[in-house]
Amino acid sequence: MSNTARWAVIAASAALVAAVTGCSSGQTPADAKGGSPHPGAMAPSSPAASDPSIPAGPGPQSAYTVQQQPAPGSCHFRYTADKQPLPDPKCTPGATNPKVTPATLKTTICHKGYTSGIRPPANITGREKKANAASYGYTASLHDAEYDHLISLELGGDPNDPRNLWVEPPSPGHKPGSGTDNPKDRVENRLKSAICSGKAELTKAQRAIAHDWTTAESVLGLDR
């Protein structure tokens, strides 16, 4: 075999080895970084939209400051079939107190006097209430409206997160000028008792009251 023919054979063999090696590696740039791409593989699913998590607020503060409220007119009340008021879920989705967990119930909401020790003072909430009334376009007497914790303090709601507070109009049949008499408060008391007695789970009660206080007890099976 001539030298020219011999070098031609060597070159062809080298090219064949390189081609086989490149095909057998099977790597892509993603593989080299530890990925494992599979055509048609589904991306991880997002949390179910029907079970949104409630945001956690900053929790109790040693000194509270006035919190900024949503822009005037940007929030809108909702009403149940029997005209009970509900907040705008975009403005007031609720916010939890991170200090209250299933493991801390005995030392927090189930401990007498806990909520009175974390409640913001009136000189703070009074100014927030006026600003929040503007957020909701509420123009009736503030004397009859409660600046309400959507998730109450006794259910582990955050004390002063603006996502957990709203100007709640009076219920149907309320006598103008008579002050607040909120049936939601009585629901909250019963839910707290259920939580502290082990009849209801904390997080489920928080979600139920944040969604619709008028149906919270039935959702939790406490109205049977």
Side-chain angles (χ1 to χ4, degrees):
M1 182 182 292
S2 67
N3 288 336
T4 301
R6 184 180 293 111
W7 282 113
V9 170
I10 293 172
S13 299
L16 179 61
V17 170
V20 171
T21 303
C23 292
S24 64
S25 69
Q27 287 192 332
T28 65
D31 289 329
K33 295 179 181 179
S36 180
H38 297 283
M42 295 181 65
S45 60
S46 58
S50 60
D51 187 26
S53 60
I54 298 172
Q61 305 291 306
S62 57
Y64 289 101
T65 57
V66 175
Q67 298 298 296
Q68 184 176 354
Q69 303 298 310
S74 64
C75 306
H76 306 281
F77 294 117
R78 297 175 297 139
Y79 292 90
T80 64
D82 57 353
K83 306 302 181 183
Q84 292 288 0
L86 300 174
D88 187 325
K90 293 182 179 179
C91 294
T92 317
T96 59
N97 175 356
K99 300 293 185 182
V100 179
T101 69
T104 65
L105 292 177
K106 289 184 179 180
T107 57
T108 55
I109 63 172
C110 299
H111 181 74
K112 186 177 181 180
Y114 175 74
T115 58
S116 61
I118 65 171
R119 188 176 298 278
N123 67 324
I124 296 293
T125 57
R127 285 181 282 175
E128 292 174 346
K129 182 178 183 179
K130 290 180 180 179
N132 189 266
S135 301
Y136 274 90
Y138 181 79
T139 57
S141 171
L142 288 178
H143 177 70
D144 290 336
E146 180 176 341
Y147 190 45
D148 179 66
H149 289 94
L150 179 60
I151 304 173
S152 67
L153 299 186
E154 63 184 335
L155 297 179
D158 192 88
N160 201 39
D161 190 312
R163 295 171 295 183
N164 195 43
L165 285 153
W166 64 301
V167 169
E168 183 178 6
S171 294
H174 179 81
K175 182 180 179 181
S178 63
T180 59
D181 180 21
N182 191 350
K184 178 173 177 283
D185 294 339
R186 294 184 280 278
V187 173
E188 293 166 349
N189 291 338
R190 292 192 290 269
L191 291 186
K192 178 200 169 182
S193 296
I195 292 170
C196 294
S197 64
K199 295 179 180 178
E201 294 180 24
L202 174 68
T203 55
K204 289 183 178 180
Q206 290 172 335
R207 287 172 181 162
I209 198 83
H211 176 68
D212 184 341
W213 66 267
T214 67
T215 61
E217 290 179 281
S218 61
V219 166
L220 297 171
L222 300 174
D223 60 344
R224 300 169 185 168

